[in-house]
Amino acid sequence: MELKKIALNDVHESLGAKMVPFAGYNMPVRYSSDLEEHNTVRNAVGIFDVSHMGEFLVKGPEALDLIQRITTNDASKLTPGKIQYSCFPNEEGGIVDDLLVYCMAENEYMLVVNASNIDKDWAWVNKYNTKGAELQNISDEMSLFAVQGPKTVEALQSLTSVDLASMVYYTFEKGEFAGVPDVILSATGYTGSGGFEIYVKNEDAEKVFHAIMEAGKEQGIKPIGLGARDTLRLEMGFCLYGNDIDDSTSPLEAGLGWITKFDKDFVNAESLKEQKAAGVTKKLVGFEMLEKAIPRSHYEIVNAEGEKIGEVTSGTMSPSLGKGIGMGYVQTEHSKPGTEVFVRVRNKDMKGQVVKLPFVKK
């Protein structure tokens, strides 16, 4: 299958990005080094092009009813300008995808989904759209920039009259940005270092990208690739679909009980209620290595006797902590912070311990 290209593909290549296939798109994985880019976001400001993400519009008097049936969180609590983290549960107790729900206006929402799941999610939303909500898949028309880091407000404020410093986490405003009208400025991100996600039409993407790079020069802004994005999100204990959650993992097992609201009816709610009452048999945990080792996806997690108790879903050498960290599912009795666990690295069991997430405190 031919790789899709994001609107600024050529711009990233001209900046020296190493491009790799990711979720069906040709994407920049790094420009300099993952370590340098990671530290840029933690200490200053960086810009990610994440235009591969998917966006669906859901409108009309039946919009909320549809969203309530297909997502676990309670979207009735949203008012215009507010955002909610949620997931699509499937009929078997797993997760179709995790997503953001934007309340654009009364009876008007935007769902932001993972790039790898755009087609699957679109089919899922349509399958349950039995009451005629108006649906529009605008994924191919939109570009998305994540400008992240402690100096983001300083870097971006000159480009808009929206008061960025006063915006609360998980809210958004629509306004003029870099001379472009109706840009969505969203106080969200996947790094734990603060910042904004900026949604623009493809035809305005290059103008906005260059304006951001110019405006952030004084703060040392740099383009950042998917490599650093992964280490940044992992330090915060944020799930990555396809690694830490998928069609076979329940939101309760994944520690997403906080977005699973049983006072409303949604797909497979009854069996998830039963799972909650019975208690889960495995849990997604964070762990850090106490010996020099880097945990990797699919490595076995074992106990002191060498018996398998789980599996790593994501792992890396944490640039901020200088030690191996990871996430993985373990049997519930081994999930308490402080519990000793071992990761089997090339047939050698390396000691670690379960820790409370996030790994890096804000």
Side-chain angles (χ1 to χ4, degrees), residues 84-98:
Q84 193 177 71
Y85 179 61
S86 194
C87 76
F88 295 134
N90 67 23
E91 287 109 340
E92 288 77 47
I95 297 170
V96 177
D97 202 3
D98 60 335

Side-chain angles (χ1 to χ4, degrees), residues 20-56:
V20 297
F22 181 81
Y25 289 79
N26 193 41
M27 295 294 291
V29 68
R30 72 183 55 84
Y31 300 81
S32 53
S33 77
D34 293 347
L35 182 63
E36 185 188 318
E37 291 174 24
H38 180 107
N39 290 331
T40 295
V41 174
R42 280 279 177 260
N43 302 312
V45 58
I47 178 171
F48 303 81
D49 187 338
V50 284
S51 302
H52 60 323
M53 299 291 281
E55 296 89 10
F56 308 154

Side-chain angles (χ1 to χ4, degrees), residues 283-290 301-303 309-310 323-343 350-359 361:
K283 277 187 178 176
L284 183 65
V285 299
F287 60 88
E288 60 184 28
M289 301 308 298
L290 300 176
I301 302 173
V302 300
N303 62 15
I309 56 168
K323 62 173 98 168
I325 60 170
M327 286 160 61
Y329 285 91
V330 296
Q331 295 163 5
T332 304
E333 59 267 31
H334 299 282
S335 64
K336 201 174 166 200
T339 303
E340 182 180 84
V341 293
F342 295 81
V343 176
M350 309 298 281
K351 190 190 286 191
Q353 70 173 0
V354 176
V355 294
K356 198 174 183 323
L357 296 170
F359 296 102
K361 313 302 178 209

Side-chain angles (χ1 to χ4, degrees), residues 61-123:
E62 297 299 335
L64 179 60
D65 176 79
L66 172 60
I67 291 167
Q68 289 290 71
R69 282 186 290 130
I70 59 175
T71 65
T72 56
N73 210 337
D74 186 0
S76 72
K77 300 277 200 295
L78 288 172
T79 52
K82 296 276 177 27
I83 308 162
Q84 193 177 71
Y85 179 61
S86 194
C87 76
F88 295 134
N90 67 23
E91 287 109 340
E92 288 77 47
I95 297 170
V96 177
D97 202 3
D98 60 335
L99 71 150
L100 294 180
V101 180
Y102 282 67
C103 183
M104 307 303 291
E106 192 179 354
N107 297 332
E108 188 179 331
Y109 299 84
M110 179 170 74
L111 310 182
V112 182
V113 303
N114 284 300
S116 56
N117 292 333
I118 292 172
D119 293 343
K120 178 176 81 162
D121 291 352
W122 182 241

Side-chain angles (χ1 to χ4, degrees), residues 4-298:
K4 287 186 175 180
K5 289 186 176 178
I6 53 177
L8 299 194
N9 185 90
D10 296 350
V11 171
H12 298 302
E13 288 182 349
S14 74
L15 290 169
K18 180 177 196 275
M19 308 294 284
V20 297
F22 181 81
Y25 289 79
N26 193 41
M27 295 294 291
V29 68
R30 72 183 55 84
Y31 300 81
S32 53
S33 77
D34 293 347
L35 182 63
E36 185 188 318
E37 291 174 24
H38 180 107
N39 290 331
T40 295
V41 174
R42 280 279 177 260
N43 302 312
V45 58
I47 178 171
F48 303 81
D49 187 338
V50 284
S51 302
H52 60 323
M53 299 291 281
E55 296 89 10
F56 308 154
L57 298 181
V58 186
K59 297 180 187 176
E62 297 299 335
L64 179 60
D65 176 79
L66 172 60
I67 291 167
Q68 289 290 71
R69 282 186 290 130
I70 59 175
T71 65
T72 56
N73 210 337
D74 186 0
S76 72
K77 300 277 200 295
L78 288 172
T79 52
K82 296 276 177 27
I83 308 162
Q84 193 177 71
Y85 179 61
S86 194
C87 76
F88 295 134
N90 67 23
E91 287 109 340
E92 288 77 47
I95 297 170
V96 177
D97 202 3
D98 60 335
L99 71 150
L100 294 180
V101 180
Y102 282 67
C103 183
M104 307 303 291
E106 192 179 354
N107 297 332
E108 188 179 331
Y109 299 84
M110 179 170 74
L111 310 182
V112 182
V113 303
N114 284 300
S116 56
N117 292 333
I118 292 172
D119 293 343
K120 178 176 81 162
D121 291 352
W122 182 241
W124 186 258
V125 175
N126 276 278
K127 175 183 173 179
Y128 281 94
N129 186 28
T130 53
K131 298 182 186 176
E134 186 189 327
L135 300 179
Q136 197 182 351
N137 183 353
I138 59 168
S139 306
D140 290 339
E141 301 162 31
M142 300 298 291
S143 287
L144 173 58
F145 304 123
V147 187
Q148 298 281 295
K151 295 184 180 177
T152 301
V153 171
E154 295 166 62
L156 297 183
Q157 190 58 75
S158 66
L159 297 174
T160 183
S161 60
V162 173
D163 182 4
L164 299 176
S166 69
M167 283 180 68
V168 178
Y169 194 44
Y170 269 64
T171 65
F172 72 92
E173 290 199 33
K174 245 183 167 183
E176 188 173 299
F177 183 85
V180 177
D182 293 329
V183 173
I184 297 170
L185 303 170
S186 169
T188 48
Y190 197 47
T191 65
S193 284
F196 296 87
E197 294 187 301
I198 299 162
Y199 297 81
V200 298
K201 290 194 169 75
N202 285 343
E203 55 264 34
D204 298 316
E206 189 162 354
K207 177 184 178 179
V208 168
F209 180 84
H210 289 308
I212 292 169
M213 289 294 287
E214 187 60 35
K217 259 186 185 165
E218 208 176 305
Q219 288 74 34
I221 195 168
K222 288 177 185 168
I224 312 293
L226 292 175
R229 186 172 170 82
D230 196 50
T231 54
L232 288 157
R233 71 93 192 167
L234 188 45
E235 287 187 345
M236 301 314 297
F238 293 149
C239 290
L240 175 64
Y241 193 90
N243 282 45
D244 314 300
I245 50 176
D246 60 31
D247 287 297
S248 69
T249 56
S250 100
L252 303 178
E253 293 168 342
L256 299 177
W258 63 281
I259 63 164
T260 308
K261 303 294 169 60
F262 291 116
D263 51 1
K264 62 166 205 155
D265 191 31
F266 57 82
V267 174
N268 205 42
E270 279 311 310
S271 76
L272 286 174
K273 253 185 222 172
E274 286 166 21
Q275 187 183 56
K276 186 180 182 182
V280 295
T281 57
K282 64 176 184 177
K283 277 187 178 176
L284 183 65
V285 299
F287 60 88
E288 60 184 28
M289 301 308 298
L290 300 176
E291 296 185 86
K292 202 172 177 185
I294 303 174
R296 298 290 186 202
S297 185
H298 302 303

